[in-house]
Amino acid sequence: NAGVTQTPKFQVLKTGQSMTLQCAQDMNHEYMSWYRQDPGMGLRLIHYSVGAGITDQGEVPNGYNVSRSTTEDFPLRLLSAAPSQTSVYFCASSPGRGRTEAFFGQGTRLTVV
Amino acid sequence: DQQVKQNSPSLSVQEGRISILNCDYTNSMFDYFLWYKKYPAEGPTFLISISSIKDKNEDGRFTVFLNKSAKHLSLHIVPSQPGDSAVYFCAARTDSWGKLQFGAGTQVVVTP
């Protein structure tokens, strides 16, 4: 039972590079989201999706793009990495429609130099 | 502006004693509250939740209390065990789909 799988676990980028963080879930959940965790700030919502083809911005969307072509996958794209995007990124999924308990992936630790 | 606040960044408690973690919120529209536990290098895992129409929810050693008038909730862990050493996040739901706002977290250390 894989749950939510994130790849890669670690990544170092140079300023200006782009990359995609992958997220996949096998629970047929409608709702998926991306958070970033920074010291002293908890988890902040970047983007979310309530189903295939539907995405919306969260609290801190600047510098990130998402798409949701299938129920299972929700990749997060960094368009031009900046040092301020150094963080730990978590993907989460939940059944939605009133069932809020989210399942999180193991996280991706990203460093931008 | 953070609408969910955990003002204690850390808590140390002896094994067997009670751990009490506190969380305050400012948005009266929150209708569902959750606690997550996080070990290093892992994702947060769901621990316990409470609806805004209740004032208490219990699950084994974990109890969450909600005081709506004070916009305050707390998590009690009794008795505390070494495996409870982790970061605990308080979260509040902003819509029925599950958009969550998180507090900054409290690091709990349970000592023998």
Side-chain angles (χ1 to χ4, degrees):
Chain A
N1 193 359
V4 179
T5 303
Q6 287 183 238
T7 54
K9 287 189 169 53
F10 301 95
Q11 183 70 50
V12 178
L13 284 180
K14 292 183 179 177
T15 297
Q17 286 185 316
S18 63
M19 79 159 293
T20 299
L21 307 186
Q22 301 292 346
C23 176
Q25 54 94 5
D26 61 0
M27 297 172 282
N28 202 31
H29 285 170
E30 291 187 84
Y31 184 85
M32 295 186 75
S33 51
W34 277 101
Y35 291 86
R36 59 178 287 174
Q37 183 193 5
D38 300 294
M41 302 195 72
L43 284 79
R44 292 182 293 168
L45 182 65
I46 304 171
H47 285 285
Y48 66 98
S49 168
V50 299
I54 307 169
T55 64
D56 206 347
Q57 296 180 352
E59 187 183 353
V60 287
N62 292 341
Y64 308 95
N65 269 0
V66 292
S67 60
R68 183 111 178 258
S69 56
T70 67
T71 300
E72 294 78 20
D73 299 298
F74 190 45
L76 178 72
R77 279 181 286 277
L78 279 72
L79 309 173
S80 177
S84 61
Q85 293 179 303
T86 293
S87 187
V88 181
Y89 292 84
F90 291 100
C91 178
S93 75
S94 62
R97 298 188 189 277
R99 292 192 51 199
T100 302
E101 292 79 18
F103 296 81
F104 284 82
Q106 287 201 311
T108 296
R109 182 173 292 276
L110 175 69
T111 302
V112 182
V113 297
Chain B
D1 187 29
Q2 274 200 305
Q3 299 182 29
V4 179
K5 296 179 182 177
Q6 294 176 257
N7 292 318
S8 298
S10 64
L11 172 69
S12 183
V13 63
Q14 275 191 317
E15 183 177 0
R17 299 287 187 106
I18 183 171
S19 294
I20 300 177
L21 290 77
N22 294 304
C23 179
D24 297 296
Y25 63 95
T26 57
N27 189 343
S28 57
M29 299 300 291
F30 289 147
D31 67 345
Y32 201 76
F33 302 88
L34 306 91
W35 285 93
Y36 282 84
K37 177 179 180 178
K38 185 184 180 303
Y39 293 118
E42 294 185 11
T45 55
F46 170 73
L47 194 57
I48 193 170
S49 62
I50 188 167
S51 165
S52 60
I53 63 173
K54 299 193 173 184
D55 54 19
K56 179 181 174 181
N57 188 27
E58 203 169 345
D59 183 0
R61 297 186 297 113
F62 302 93
T63 303
V64 56
F65 296 92
L66 176 62
N67 183 334
K68 279 186 69 176
S69 61
K71 294 190 177 69
H72 176 83
L73 64 156
S74 61
L75 174 68
H76 292 207
I77 307 173
V78 184
S80 299
Q81 299 174 354
D84 296 331
S85 296
V87 176
Y88 291 78
F89 290 100
C90 171
R93 188 174 79 175
T94 61
D95 65 30
S96 63
W97 280 98
K99 280 173 66 178
L100 298 175
Q101 288 212 11
F102 284 83
T106 297
Q107 172 76 61
V108 173
V109 175
V110 180
T111 57

